[in-house]
Amino acid sequence: MLIFGWGWRVTHLRTLTLRCPHCGNTAAHPLYKRVLKLSLFFIPLIPLRVKHTVQCTACATSRAVDPANVH
């Protein structure tokens, strides 16, 4: 019997001050690294997907970003 699954692991990298394209406010935007990992017997083993996102603290809108373009 094999027990496998997948789940997102979220890491807060840093907080940036940016202008939100959705609400127009200049606010803090936490930068997160989200990694989707395949687990075998509840042990995360293989990263399947990596995404970097920022979330506006004023309106809670989240959007994907390229980590090379974040200053």
Side-chain angles (χ1 to χ4, degrees), residues 4 8 10 27 37 39-40 50-51 63 66-68 70:
F4 69 93
W8 288 98
V10 180
K37 288 195 173 185
S39 300
L40 182 62
V50 177
K51 292 179 11 178
R63 60 188 168 99
D66 182 15
V70 177

Side-chain angles (χ1 to χ4, degrees), residues 20-69:
C20 179
H22 181 72
C23 68
N25 289 326
T26 301
H29 287 70
L31 175 63
Y32 297 109
K33 179 179 180 181
R34 301 173 190 271
V35 181
L36 181 64
K37 288 195 173 185
L38 180 67
S39 300
L40 182 62
F41 296 107
F42 306 105
I43 301 170
L45 296 175
I46 303 169
L48 299 175
R49 188 175 187 189
V50 177
K51 292 179 11 178
H52 289 81
T53 60
V54 291
Q55 183 176 12
C56 178
T57 55
C59 67
T61 301
S62 182
R63 60 188 168 99
V65 294
D66 182 15
N69 293 336

